[in-house]
């Protein structure tokens, strides 16, 4: 049923339709509304047969989910940013134990400086934890991905993280088609664990493994991810049969036919990029874009063929690997390792800075005329940087950087301030 | 699990506080350990050190638990000696469903297991979580307090060997004052653990007003079994703190495992009590009070207190004071006192 609904509420309803049996979470902006939503559905009796556990930390939240999943229950939790880092140890543990937990990540920057707004640093910090990581482009996709995530997780016995941009998606009200319980039941069978804590058939789960078998265990985790490359599109097809729409998949290509320049990005920024692609196509430019939905496993082959024929690739990414450059760009280069195609990256939207159509268009033009550098920081205020470098050069200790930058911004002349924005 | 594999030849069994392995004891007075039909949570052949009190304590506690619920239980384990010495892949010593996740999350994992059991219509399946003193009093403390606060239906057993043994004997917040550990070496002006009383987890647990809190040792295995059985017949959060000797970490003789645990009790250093809903309901009186030196002298971790040239009289006196304070607080000499 089409509803004008907040992204978080849409996800909460989608999760509830999946009939989780144990849900636990700890508040952190911008994820909070999702678990509040599920909690209310449980307490009001709308979501039956579900334990909603109020825990004392994110570390406990995922740990409770681990216990519940190992004991055979469908388990769900959600977090963001610092919360994900606080549960980091359990994140690796959940995948190591092969537990099909589904977790929403309301993507948010990681401090210091503390910042509650959207970027992808949190998800990137766990990119190699052995979880499947799916990125939603819209709230419809966010809701749909959760329904697919449970099926994917349980078929593979592997946890799945559904990433959605904080505020931009979680707090946006838009129209979302919320499926019916019948549809979801037709799509998602009950959870049948591969190993379960059962006194009738006792297993030791989580035994200590030495060098003689650890590589094999890790290899099998890798293999699961490779299997997911086939399974994700398959599940997408079944989803389309039941729900009548396409959602998810490994990646979406947009107007890439004959495109010289192709943007690659993840999440909601693809909406803006598509608008730019449309406008620039109108203006006669050959440009397209690819939205990566499955970041882990990374669809190397599919991306390679999606980028075939392009003259250049521009990655727009909301995270930064300090000392290297782009995280997503490194993965894109891996897909293009046999193809002589330049890959440049634009670090954009960190800590919630708006990514505008104008900004993306300027990037496109710079890429076309060869003036885009390998790593570009979109909208970087060079004057502030210069001032801070000069300031800290005069001092023996640099001091707290964030405070210094803030002071520099406040102190600079008004004329310069308006010019920079 | 077939019946046969669950059974092993009897090795030792306790017949009283002071004797082990007397097979002439009346059948009905014997511990379950001497029965051929006994439950068997952990098989032998695991890799604990000789004389390990933790192996002994865990075995008795879990066997008693198994008996009281007919084996219908699940054990959650924190990282630590017990986990490592029982599950070197591809082997496992556990005859019961058992899960290990991390060092600091056993209480939360147990909460999850208990929640799942309720939802799966298997609420009769009992959930036991266990950890060392480090996993319990330090890194897992937040999760444990959360579990208590929610009153989750879990029996948590802490095997207190008074340090981080699995990583090579480092101090925990349950390490007694003056004890030498790898991180509190016996050097400097105050050798060993700097003075303090350690975190008293049984009292902290009581402050959560949970249904049951008890202390026990491997010196009195009947008492341990009784307390486990009592806890198993309750619901909500229950906590049992078991003092377990660690020959490796304490620097004690492997045949002093039981003796040391007993001296800890008889000196007053480790009071035995049970509490229900936040109030002490039973204590075990000391039969024959011993000075703390009797306990300390048998352990290398306190050796620096007894150097020939300069016995550390002040610090020994301070430990004696702690023991006496326990005796007062729990009235351990009471009527049965034998001065
Ligand atoms: C997060 C984390 N930090 C540290 C460790 C290393 N570690 C493993 S076991 C252990 C000590 C265990 O001590 P305790 O809980 O007292 O149990 P014991 O081995 O003494 O029985 C430590 C520090 C770990 N596994 N995880
Ligand atoms: S170090 Fe101590 S607790 Fe660990 S196995 Fe050896 S005796 Fe037992």
């Amino acid at each position: 049923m089409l509803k004008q609904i907040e992204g978080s509420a849409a996800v909460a309803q989608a999760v509830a339709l999946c009939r989780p049996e144990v849900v636990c979470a700890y508040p952190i902006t911008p994820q909070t509304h999702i678990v509040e939503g599920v909690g209310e559905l449980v307490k009001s009796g709308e979501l039956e047969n579900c334990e909603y556990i109020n825990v004392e930390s994110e570390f406990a939240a995922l740990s409770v989910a681990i216990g519940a999943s190992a004991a055979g229950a469908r388990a769900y939790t959600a977090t963001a940013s610092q919360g994900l880092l606080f549960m980091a140890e359990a994140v690796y543990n959940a995948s190591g134990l092969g537990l099909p937990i589904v977790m929403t990540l309301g993507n948010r920057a990681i401090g210091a400086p503390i910042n509650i707004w959207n970027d992808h640093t949190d998800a990137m910090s766990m990119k190699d934890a052995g979880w499947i990581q799916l990125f939603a482009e819209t709230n419809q996709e966010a809701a749909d991905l959760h329904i697919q995530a449970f099926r994917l997780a349980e078929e593979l016995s592997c946890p799945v993280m559904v990433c959605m941009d904080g505020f931009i998606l979680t707090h946006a009200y838009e129209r979302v088609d919320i499926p019916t319980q019948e549809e979801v039941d037709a799509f998602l069978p009950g959870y049948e664990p591969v190993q379960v804590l059962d006194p009738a058939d006792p297993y030791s789960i989580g035994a200590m493994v030495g060098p003689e078998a650890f590589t094999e265990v890790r290899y099998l985790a890798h293999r699961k991810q490779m299997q997911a490359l086939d399974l994700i599109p398959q599940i997408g097809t079944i989803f389309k049969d039941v729900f009548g729409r396409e959602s998810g998949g490994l990646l979406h290509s947009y107007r890439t036919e004959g495109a010289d320049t192709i943007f690659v990005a993840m999440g909601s920024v693809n909406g803006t990029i598509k608008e730019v692609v449309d406008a620039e196509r109108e203006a006669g430019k050959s440009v397209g874009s690819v939205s990566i939905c499955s970041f882990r496993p990374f669809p190397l082959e599919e991306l390679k063929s999606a980028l075939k024929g392009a003259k250049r690739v521009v990655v727009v990414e909301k995270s930064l690997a300090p000392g290297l450059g782009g995280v997503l760009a490194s993965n894109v280069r891996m897909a293009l390792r046999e193809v002589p195609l330049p890959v440049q990256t634009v670090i954009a939207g960190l800590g919630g800075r708006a990514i505008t159509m104008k900004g993306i268009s300027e990037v496109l033009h710079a890429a076309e005329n060869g003036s885009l550098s390998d790593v570009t920081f979109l909208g970087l205020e060079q004057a502030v940087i210069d001032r801070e470098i000069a300031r800290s050069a005069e001092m023996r200790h640099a001091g707290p950087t964030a405070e210094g930058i803030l002071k520099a911004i406040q102190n600079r002349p008004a004329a310069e301030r308006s010019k920079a924005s | 699990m077939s019946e046969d594999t669950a059974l092993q030849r009897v090795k030792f069994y306790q017949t009283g506080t002071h004797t082990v392995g007397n097979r002439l004891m009346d059948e009905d007075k014997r511990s379950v350990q001497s029965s051929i039909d006994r439950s068997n949570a952990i098989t032998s052949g695991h890799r604990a050190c000789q004389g390990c009190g933790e192996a002994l304590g865990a075995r008795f506690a879990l066997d008693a638990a198994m008996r009281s619920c007919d084996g219908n239980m699940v054990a959650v384990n924190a990282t630590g000696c017990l986990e490592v010495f029982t599950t070197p892949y591809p082997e496992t010593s556990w005859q019961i469903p058992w899960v290990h996740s991390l060092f600091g999350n056993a209480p939360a994992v147990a909460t999850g297991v208990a929640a799942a059991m309720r939802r799966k219509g298997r609420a009769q399946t009992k959930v036991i979580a266990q950890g060392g003193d480090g996993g319990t009093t330090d890194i897992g403390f937040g999760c444990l307090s959360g579990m208590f606060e929610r009153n989750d239906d879990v029996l948590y057993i802490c095997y207190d060997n008074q340090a981080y043994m699995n990583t090579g004997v480092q101090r925990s917040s349950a390490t007694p004052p003056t004890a030498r550990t790898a991180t509190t070496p016996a050097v400097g002006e105050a050798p060993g653990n700097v003075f303090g009383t350690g975190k008293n987890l049984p009292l902290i647990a009581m402050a959560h007003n949970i249904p049951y809190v008890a202390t026990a040792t491997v010196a009195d295995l009947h008492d341990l079994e009784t307390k486990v059985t009592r806890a198993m017949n309750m619901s909500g959060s229950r906590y049992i703190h078991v003092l377990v000797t660690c020959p490796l970490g304490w620097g004690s003789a492997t045949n002093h495992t039981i003796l040391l645990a007993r001296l800890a009790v008889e000196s007053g250093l480790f009071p035995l009590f049970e509490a229900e809903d936040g109030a002490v309901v039973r204590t075990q009186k000391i039969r024959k009070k011993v000075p703390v030196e009797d306990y300390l002298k048998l352990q290398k971790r306190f050796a620096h207190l007894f150097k020939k040239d300069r016995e550390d009289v002040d610090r020994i006196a301070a430990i004696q004071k702690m023991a006496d304070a326990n005796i007062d607080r729990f009235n351990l000499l009471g009527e049965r006192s034998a001065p």
Side-chain angles (χ1 to χ4, degrees):
Chain A
M1 191 188 22
L2 267 182
K3 282 187 187 171
Q4 181 75 13
I5 188 171
E6 195 202 26
S8 296
V11 167
Q13 293 194 6
V15 167
L17 290 168
C18 295
R19 303 185 189 276
E21 293 158 301
V22 176
V23 171
C24 40
Y26 195 76
I28 182 166
T29 305
Q31 157 275 153
T32 321
H33 291 181
I34 300 173
V35 285
E36 285 172 356
V38 180
E40 203 172 312
L41 293 171
V42 174
K43 195 122 194 247
S44 66
E46 240 177 282
L47 171 53
E48 293 174 327
N49 205 28
C50 178
E51 292 277 330
Y52 187 86
I53 317 255
N54 284 294
V55 288
E56 66 284 354
S57 75
E58 286 88 355
F59 177 61
L62 189 52
S63 300
V64 169
I66 285 171
S69 186
R74 182 172 286 164
Y76 169 83
T77 187
T79 193
S81 181
Q82 321 289 139
L84 182 69
L85 291 203
F86 201 64
M87 60 168 66
E89 208 194 347
V91 172
Y92 273 74
N93 201 256
S95 56
L97 293 175
L99 297 173
I101 296 161
V102 170
M103 175 160 76
T104 311
L105 186 67
N107 294 107
R108 164 182 154 182
I110 291 175
I114 187 164
N115 172 301
I116 61 167
W117 292 274
N118 167 245
D119 71 29
H120 291 166
T121 315
D122 50 5
M124 295 301 108
S125 78
M126 290 297 135
K127 70 184 193 305
D128 301 317
W131 286 55
I132 288 167
Q133 284 187 324
L134 306 175
F135 279 77
E137 198 178 309
T138 61
N139 278 339
Q140 182 68 61
E141 200 172 58
D144 294 347
L145 281 178
H146 280 86
I147 299 165
Q148 297 178 61
F150 280 103
R151 178 144 177 188
L152 183 61
E154 288 165 16
E155 284 198 19
L156 282 177
S157 246
C158 177
V160 179
M161 201 181 287
V162 180
C163 303
M164 62 190 293
D165 285 323
F167 294 110
I168 302 170
L169 294 182
T170 55
H171 287 58
Y173 277 76
E174 55 188 30
R175 271 149 55 102
V176 176
D177 189 353
I178 305 288
T180 62
Q181 187 67 62
E182 292 70 44
E183 284 171 322
V184 177
D185 287 347
F187 175 79
L188 182 65
Y191 169 37
E192 278 178 36
V194 287
Q195 52 178 9
V196 64
L197 297 165
D198 179 3
D201 184 17
Y203 266 97
S204 289
I205 301 179
M208 178 162 189
V209 172
E212 69 284 1
F214 197 75
T215 307
E216 286 69 20
V217 173
R218 294 297 288 163
Y219 174 79
L220 290 169
H222 176 61
R223 189 170 171 274
K224 253 186 209 181
Q225 293 266 335
M226 304 318 275
Q227 279 175 282
L229 284 177
D230 292 331
L231 204 54
I232 291 169
Q234 280 170 26
I235 287 178
T237 309
I238 303 169
F239 185 88
K240 193 181 170 199
D241 287 346
V242 176
F243 299 86
R245 64 175 166 272
E246 255 173 87
S247 224
L250 295 171
L251 49 78
H252 317 293
S253 296
Y254 186 71
R255 300 186 79 169
T256 49
E257 4 28 268
D260 287 343
T261 308
I262 299 181
F263 285 107
V264 177
M266 295 195 296
S268 63
V269 71
N270 281 293
T272 313
I273 293 175
K274 283 179 187 169
E275 296 274 331
V276 174
V277 167
D278 286 345
E280 295 287 348
R281 282 267 184 186
E282 292 269 295
K285 306 251 176 198
S286 58
V287 56
S289 70
V290 173
S291 163
I292 307 271
C293 178
S294 168
F295 180 62
R296 283 293 179 276
F298 196 73
L300 294 171
E301 287 308 316
E302 293 72 10
L303 185 60
K304 185 175 154 187
S305 46
L307 298 176
K308 205 168 64 198
K311 293 211 176 82
R312 63 190 76 82
V313 175
V314 179
V315 179
V316 178
E317 57 185 311
K318 292 186 176 184
S319 61
L320 168 70
L324 175 71
V327 187
L328 178 57
S330 318
N331 289 267
V332 173
R333 284 198 185 96
M334 179 86 177
L336 294 175
R337 60 203 179 281
E338 292 141 10
V339 186
L341 247 191
V343 176
Q344 289 159 318
T345 192
V346 177
I347 312 292
L350 296 188
R353 183 168 297 188
I355 303 175
T356 60
M357 284 180 66
K358 182 162 165 277
I360 300 285
S361 287
E362 282 169 11
V363 164
L364 175 66
H365 301 148
E368 284 175 339
N369 66 29
S371 66
L372 194 66
S373 51
D374 276 354
V375 182
T376 302
F377 291 79
L378 190 67
L380 187 72
E381 298 219 18
Q382 196 55 47
V384 175
I385 302 288
D386 292 345
R387 198 184 304 263
E388 173 59 18
I389 291 171
R391 191 185 74 89
S392 55
E394 287 162 18
M395 300 194 296
R396 209 155 69 82
H397 300 292
T401 314
E403 278 72 3
I405 290 177
L406 217 64
K407 226 191 245 161
I409 291 174
Q410 279 156 4
N411 291 345
R412 78 197 145 143
E416 196 187 305
R417 233 182 293 170
S418 58
K419 193 187 83 203
S421 61
Chain B
M1 168 172 68
S2 86
E3 284 299 304
D4 293 347
T5 56
L7 300 176
Q8 287 188 297
R9 254 171 50 82
V10 175
K11 287 181 181 147
F12 303 107
Y13 57 93
Q14 196 177 33
T15 53
T17 334
H18 292 261
T19 52
V20 163
N22 180 354
R23 281 158 203 257
L24 300 177
M25 192 79 178
D26 285 348
E27 288 267 339
D28 60 335
K29 294 210 178 88
R30 289 181 186 179
S31 155
V32 64
Q33 302 296 319
S34 67
S35 157
I36 193 71
D37 301 321
R38 76 193 186 284
S39 45
N40 198 2
I42 315 170
T43 57
S44 62
H46 53 67
R47 303 182 184 184
C49 312
Q50 200 169 33
C52 174
E54 187 158 301
L56 184 67
R59 167 93 191 261
F60 270 75
L62 291 188
D63 282 3
M66 268 182 98
R67 245 190 328 152
S68 69
C69 66
D70 212 10
N72 189 8
M73 64 187 230
V74 166
V76 178
N77 217 118
T79 310
C81 273
L82 180 61
E83 167 255 334
V84 169
F85 72 61
T86 54
T87 64
Y89 174 89
E91 283 140 15
T92 174
S93 309
W94 297 95
Q95 302 272 357
I96 50 174
W98 179 93
V99 59
H100 159 252
S101 171
L102 294 166
F103 188 22
N105 71 356
V109 172
T111 293
V113 173
M117 291 303 171
R118 274 197 300 280
R119 280 305 143 195
K120 291 282 164 192
R122 287 159 50 196
Q124 317 87 303
T125 302
K126 296 278 186 176
V127 183
I128 297 175
Q130 39 186 359
D133 50 293
T136 307
T137 66
D138 292 333
I139 199 166
F141 183 67
C143 283
L144 186 67
S145 178
M147 187 192 104
F148 287 164
E149 189 252 338
R150 291 186 300 267
N151 198 22
D152 292 322
D153 195 11
V154 173
L155 165 59
Y156 190 100
I157 305 178
C158 169
Y159 302 109
D160 179 10
N161 53 22
Q162 304 192 323
Y164 293 155
M165 298 314 180
N166 185 50
T167 34
V169 197
Q170 297 86 12
R171 180 198 171 275
S172 80
S173 59
T175 299
T178 77
R180 182 196 67 193
T181 69
T183 47
T184 57
V187 295
E189 274 186 18
N193 194 16
V194 286
F195 220 82
T197 51
K199 248 187 231 179
N200 193 326
L201 220 98
L203 293 185
I204 298 172
M206 274 171 64
H208 288 78
N209 285 328
I210 54 174
Y212 187 73
V213 174
T215 59
T217 75
V218 285
D220 192 341
L221 296 166
H222 284 316
D223 179 59
L224 173 61
E225 287 175 337
T226 305
K227 286 167 177 168
V228 169
T229 307
R230 200 165 278 155
M232 287 293 285
N233 289 319
M234 296 176 160
S235 50
S237 278
R238 292 141 287 151
Y239 180 78
I240 302 183
H241 192 100
V242 191
L243 181 72
V244 295
T245 318
C246 167
L248 184 104
W250 294 13
S252 56
T254 51
N255 61 349
H256 282 170
T257 295
I258 304 290
L259 174 67
L260 278 171
R262 189 182 319 125
L263 290 173
V265 174
E266 300 282 279
S267 63
L269 280 173
F270 192 84
L272 291 178
F273 66 92
E274 290 171 279
E276 289 176 14
D277 304 316
V280 174
V281 290
R282 274 178 293 273
T283 55
Q284 187 174 304
K285 306 293 179 201
I286 290 174
R287 295 181 199 210
K288 183 174 176 297
K289 189 187 166 193
V290 299
V292 294
E293 280 98 326
D294 288 12
Y295 170 69
L296 302 175
K297 270 187 173 159
L298 294 175
Q299 308 173 51
K300 289 207 187 87
R301 63 176 172 158
F302 296 112
H304 53 280
L305 298 179
F306 301 100
K307 285 223 174 99
K308 267 206 199 86
D309 48 335
R310 53 173 184 102
E311 188 167 287
D312 202 335
V313 186
D314 290 350
R315 297 180 92 200
I316 296 170
I319 296 173
Q320 185 63 55
K321 212 169 142 194
M322 270 175 59
D324 293 341
N326 281 337
I327 290 171
D328 273 359
R329 176 180 214 153
F330 295 98
N331 189 24
L332 296 180
L333 293 177
E335 258 109 73
R336 281 234 269 118
S337 73

